[in-house]
Amino acid sequence: MLEITSTDHPEYLQISLRGEITSASASQLERTLAELLAKGPPPRWLLDLGDLLFTSSAGLRVFLTFAKRTKTAGGRLAFCNVRPAVAEVFEVSGFTQILTIAPDAAAAAVLLGAA
Amino acid sequence: MKTLALPGTLDALEPLGEFVRAAAAEAGFDAMAAGRLHLAVDEMATNSVTHAYEEQGREGQIYLEAEIDDNELRVALEDTGPAYDPTTRADPADLDRPLEERGIGGLGIFLARKNVDALLYERRGDRNRLTFVLHRRPASRT
């Protein structure tokens, strides 16, 4: 089960994920992110993973694709509140080096240049 | 030994996760260790569903077993697809590359291997059988 919530902030769009990303739920996330990007992408995105308990490589694939698209579109993307289990998967996969990851939303806003 | 048979579709992944985590908890592993095992089995079950069944245009089931003894927890995953041994695959070579150069995918088998103490393959009759082994020693993987 994966719940996706998007919240507009003046300086950035926040997307909060709750639950688990497996191959079964990754397509739903991919679709939602693509729709948000197509709407006229805000330049700044915050992915709040505070309630994301699990991700498989299917989720990593979606995150990587989205990070590449955001960059191509000239936008900024930061992740925050990554729980230990997900942080470990990021680390092992080398994602810690290629994604912008902040401890919390306030720190992420600074990294996004939105604070 | 506990067993569970699930339809060979992506819908199996949620009950599969519950089965694996319950087995890990019963063997005394904490949530982090349970999550690692869940990840390993989820990755390989996704491969089973897509390569053994969906890409072949076939239907089938995936079969899970969990067995605990004094030394280890062993979870087995079986499918009835064509013989395929994922344990011989090379790790992705681009893990330390910058964003622009990272390939999409290829991480599943790597993560499966990385997150258990041993990953064993055998062909048993018409089934591929993968066994995921976690040693039951305190704080073994931290």
Side-chain angles (χ1 to χ4, degrees), chain A residues 17 23 25-26 30-31 39 53 56 69 78 92 96 105 107 114:
Chain A
L17 304 183
S23 296
S25 53
E30 193 165 27
R31 214 166 36 241
K39 264 200 226 167
L53 305 174
S56 72
R69 285 199 189 157
V92 168
T96 317

Short mmCIF file of all heavy atoms in Angstrom, two decimals, chain A residues 17 23 25-26 30-31 39 53 56 69 78 92 96 105 107 114:
data_model
loop_
_atom_site.label_atom_id
_atom_site.label_comp_id
_atom_site.label_asym_id
_atom_site.label_seq_id
_atom_site.Cartn_x
_atom_site.Cartn_y
_atom_site.Cartn_z
N LEU A 17 4.98 10.57 0.98
CA LEU A 17 4.71 9.17 0.69
C LEU A 17 4.51 8.41 1.99
O LEU A 17 5.26 8.59 2.95
CB LEU A 17 5.87 8.55 -0.09
CG LEU A 17 6.25 9.25 -1.40
CD1 LEU A 17 7.37 8.49 -2.10
CD2 LEU A 17 5.04 9.37 -2.33
N SER A 23 7.09 -3.22 -6.61
CA SER A 23 6.77 -3.17 -8.04
C SER A 23 5.27 -3.01 -8.27
O SER A 23 4.85 -2.55 -9.32
CB SER A 23 7.23 -4.45 -8.74
OG SER A 23 8.63 -4.54 -8.66
N SER A 25 3.24 -1.02 -6.45
CA SER A 25 2.79 0.36 -6.22
C SER A 25 3.65 1.40 -6.94
O SER A 25 3.28 2.57 -7.00
CB SER A 25 2.75 0.66 -4.72
OG SER A 25 4.00 0.37 -4.11
N ALA A 26 4.78 0.99 -7.50
CA ALA A 26 5.70 1.96 -8.12
C ALA A 26 5.07 2.67 -9.32
O ALA A 26 5.32 3.86 -9.54
CB ALA A 26 6.99 1.28 -8.53
N GLU A 30 4.92 6.62 -10.17
CA GLU A 30 5.48 7.12 -11.42
C GLU A 30 4.45 7.98 -12.16
O GLU A 30 4.75 9.06 -12.66
CB GLU A 30 5.89 5.93 -12.28
CG GLU A 30 6.77 6.28 -13.46
CD GLU A 30 7.44 5.04 -14.03
OE1 GLU A 30 6.88 3.93 -13.89
OE2 GLU A 30 8.51 5.18 -14.63
N ARG A 31 3.22 7.47 -12.19
CA ARG A 31 2.13 8.17 -12.88
C ARG A 31 1.84 9.50 -12.21
O ARG A 31 1.72 10.54 -12.86
CB ARG A 31 0.88 7.29 -12.85
CG ARG A 31 0.01 7.41 -14.08
CD ARG A 31 -1.02 6.29 -14.16
NE ARG A 31 -1.57 5.87 -12.89
CZ ARG A 31 -1.46 4.63 -12.40
NH1 ARG A 31 -0.80 3.71 -13.06
NH2 ARG A 31 -2.00 4.32 -11.24
N LYS A 39 1.90 19.15 -15.37
CA LYS A 39 1.03 20.28 -15.05
C LYS A 39 1.72 21.62 -15.15
O LYS A 39 1.14 22.66 -14.85
CB LYS A 39 0.51 20.13 -13.61
CG LYS A 39 -0.86 19.49 -13.52
CD LYS A 39 -1.47 19.83 -12.18
CE LYS A 39 -2.08 18.61 -11.52
NZ LYS A 39 -2.38 18.88 -10.10
N LEU A 53 7.96 3.29 4.69
CA LEU A 53 8.58 2.24 5.52
C LEU A 53 9.47 1.32 4.72
O LEU A 53 10.33 0.63 5.27
CB LEU A 53 7.48 1.41 6.19
CG LEU A 53 6.47 2.20 7.02
CD1 LEU A 53 5.35 1.30 7.50
CD2 LEU A 53 7.17 2.88 8.20
N SER A 56 11.57 -0.97 -2.65
CA SER A 56 12.39 -1.91 -3.40
C SER A 56 13.09 -1.13 -4.51
O SER A 56 12.95 0.09 -4.61
CB SER A 56 11.53 -3.02 -3.98
OG SER A 56 10.75 -2.52 -5.05
N ARG A 69 14.57 13.83 -14.64
CA ARG A 69 13.61 14.71 -15.34
C ARG A 69 13.59 16.09 -14.72
O ARG A 69 13.50 17.10 -15.41
CB ARG A 69 12.21 14.11 -15.28
CG ARG A 69 12.02 12.95 -16.21
CD ARG A 69 10.56 12.72 -16.43
NE ARG A 69 10.34 11.49 -17.15
CZ ARG A 69 9.21 10.80 -17.12
NH1 ARG A 69 8.20 11.25 -16.41
NH2 ARG A 69 9.10 9.71 -17.82
N ALA A 78 14.56 17.76 -3.53
CA ALA A 78 15.21 17.31 -2.30
C ALA A 78 14.31 16.29 -1.61
O ALA A 78 13.08 16.35 -1.70
CB ALA A 78 15.48 18.49 -1.37
N VAL A 92 23.30 1.86 0.08
CA VAL A 92 23.84 0.68 -0.59
C VAL A 92 23.81 0.85 -2.11
O VAL A 92 24.71 0.38 -2.82
CB VAL A 92 23.03 -0.58 -0.17
CG1 VAL A 92 23.36 -1.77 -1.05
CG2 VAL A 92 23.27 -0.92 1.28
N THR A 96 22.77 8.03 -2.17
CA THR A 96 23.10 9.11 -1.25
C THR A 96 23.97 10.16 -1.95
O THR A 96 23.91 11.35 -1.64
CB THR A 96 23.84 8.54 -0.02
OG1 THR A 96 23.17 7.34 0.37
CG2 THR A 96 23.82 9.50 1.13
N ALA A 105 12.20 18.81 6.76
CA ALA A 105 11.63 19.71 5.75
C ALA A 105 12.29 21.08 5.77
O ALA A 105 12.53 21.68 4.71
CB ALA A 105 10.12 19.84 5.95
N ALA A 107 15.37 21.87 6.67
CA ALA A 107 16.70 21.79 6.07
C ALA A 107 16.59 21.59 4.56
O ALA A 107 17.40 22.13 3.79
CB ALA A 107 17.48 20.63 6.70
N ALA A 114 14.68 27.73 -0.86
CA ALA A 114 13.32 28.23 -0.65
C ALA A 114 13.10 28.74 0.77
O ALA A 114 11.99 29.05 1.15
CB ALA A 114 12.33 27.12 -0.95
#
